[in-house]
Amino acid sequence: MFNQKSFKGNHTTGTLYLVPTPIGNLEDMTYRSVRMLQEVALIASEDTRNTQKLLNHFEIHTPQKSLHEHNYKERIPQFLEVLKNGQSIAQVSDAGMPSISDPGHELVVACIEEGIPVVSLPGATAGMTALIASGLLPQPFLFYGFLGRKKKEQENTLEKLKNHTATLIFYESPYRISGTLKNMLTVLGNRQVVLCRELTKIHEEYLRGTIEELLSYIEDQPIKGECCLLVEGSTGIQEETIKIVGSLKEQVEQLIAEGKKTNEAIKAVAVQNGLKKQEVYRQFHELDEE
């Protein structure tokens, strides 16, 4: 049923303001966001230590209380009491928009149920920032966030997403990006992808190519910094992953026969088998292991 009270808000209470913070570059903090953090009675922060650095930079002296996945059940009643007493709260995550792969959603729902106004301020968010510069179709898109960490979890999720025509947006750790890409290659085929890292920072980088090409690049150039990974949606004629069989030497020879250069074939076989390029090179040239 339509909740008129929640829609209009209870103006005898304070307001919950959802305030985005920079994803790297402090110049992306808006004037309005700075003012709001100065004016509210309390800031609900994912990590008070990280937020304090931001507050110090902009000379904001508003007190903080933590709000994260481990304490939200305890904190939400405390915040509701503050809001019901007529004082406003700003909610922030460590970077970007609250609730987007970060804490915040439960407090928003609790405020709506109590008829407390919720106001979202626009600002920095990694997914949209990466999407419009990726070169992949900007719409439709499907933002997923972080995949599960286990191989089987990832494969099950990717199976459900493989027929979507929308550009897929994921967040990933640099330590897991290689494994995630290998799972994508298995389930989705060799699609076009864009890996965006260190967005808005001095070492910002966009890596564009197929999944196989990106895996080959990562083998030689390990990735650093948090990643946003964009994947081409299904076209209905998605390129299939090359099926190569036999020993490593035979697999390389098969790809060479199909027109690949030796080094390209060695890299492709390494990616397909989850091995280091040097190991495939050694076996292809029949070199003794030291």
Side-chain angles (χ1 to χ4, degrees), residues 15-290:
T15 298
L16 174 65
Y17 292 98
L18 307 176
V19 180
T21 55
I23 59 176
N25 192 323
L26 290 175
E27 293 180 1
D28 292 333
M29 190 71 171
T30 68
Y31 289 112
R32 185 184 177 199
S33 292
V34 171
R35 177 176 63 82
M36 203 56 62
L37 293 180
Q38 292 171 332
E39 292 181 356
V40 295
L42 181 66
I43 299 172
S45 306
E46 178 182 0
D47 187 324
T48 56
R49 295 165 298 182
N50 287 336
T51 301
Q52 192 60 52
K53 297 173 186 176
L54 180 73
L55 301 184
N56 291 343
H57 181 83
F58 290 103
E59 299 182 352
I60 298 169
H61 305 291
T62 307
Q64 300 184 73
K65 271 194 176 181
S66 63
L67 176 66
H68 48 71
E69 60 181 333
H70 302 296
N71 72 355
Y72 72 90
K73 291 182 180 179
E74 168 195 347
R75 283 285 193 250
I76 285 178
Q78 299 172 6
F79 292 142
L80 291 178
E81 184 176 353
V82 171
L83 291 160
K84 288 177 180 177
N85 286 334
Q87 295 179 301
S88 293
I89 293 176
Q91 182 184 353
V92 300
S93 63
D94 285 348
M97 298 290 284
S99 297
I100 303 299
S101 292
D102 280 319
H105 176 67
E106 291 84 2
L107 180 57
V108 171
V109 172
C111 287
I112 291 172
E113 289 176 347
E114 295 290 336
I116 295 170
V118 178
V119 174
S120 178
L121 277 62
T125 180
M128 295 301 96
T129 302
L131 176 64
I132 60 174
S134 69
L136 298 178
L137 288 175
Q139 58 189 52
F141 66 86
L142 191 156
F143 175 82
Y144 189 86
F146 286 95
L147 287 164
R149 296 190 177 195
K150 295 182 179 178
K151 183 175 185 290
K152 194 63 178 176
E153 286 181 295
Q154 289 196 354
E155 288 177 345
N156 289 341
T157 299
L158 293 170
E159 280 290 347
K160 295 175 183 177
L161 297 174
K162 70 183 296 183
N163 294 322
H164 281 273
T165 57
T167 298
L168 306 175
I169 304 175
F170 302 94
Y171 290 162
E172 190 53 279
S173 159
Y175 307 109
R176 296 192 298 270
I177 191 66
S178 181
T180 296
L181 284 167
K182 288 175 182 176
N183 291 337
M184 288 181 171
L185 183 61
T186 299
V187 178
L188 304 179
N190 195 26
R191 298 190 186 187
Q192 290 291 321
V193 291
V194 180
L195 178 63
C196 317
R197 67 175 201 89
E198 296 289 86
L199 287 172
T200 78
K201 300 177 185 177
I202 190 169
H203 297 298
E204 175 176 292
E205 184 176 34
Y206 287 80
L207 301 172
R208 300 175 174 89
T210 65
I211 295 177
E212 285 186 347
E213 288 170 340
L214 187 53
L215 278 167
S216 179
Y217 176 85
I218 289 174
E219 183 182 347
D220 297 327
Q221 304 285 336
I223 296 297
K224 296 180 180 179
E226 291 301 311
C227 303
C228 184
L229 179 64
L230 298 99
V231 182
E232 176 188 25
S234 173
T235 62
I237 52 171
Q238 195 67 45
E239 179 184 347
E240 294 294 331
T241 302
I242 299 172
K243 304 299 182 184
I244 44 182
V245 296
S247 68
L248 296 178
K249 179 178 174 63
E250 290 169 342
Q251 291 178 44
V252 174
E253 290 172 341
Q254 179 182 333
L255 293 182
I256 292 173
E258 293 174 1
K260 283 187 179 291
K261 294 181 179 179
T262 301
N263 195 44
E264 292 176 339
I266 288 172
K267 284 186 175 182
V269 170
V271 167
Q272 290 281 338
N273 291 274
L275 298 172
K276 292 287 187 183
K277 182 179 64 178
Q278 292 84 350
E279 173 62 18
V280 179
Y281 179 93
R282 185 184 67 79
Q283 293 200 31
F284 175 68
H285 291 285
E286 298 180 341
L287 302 175
D288 291 332
E289 187 171 5
E290 294 181 1

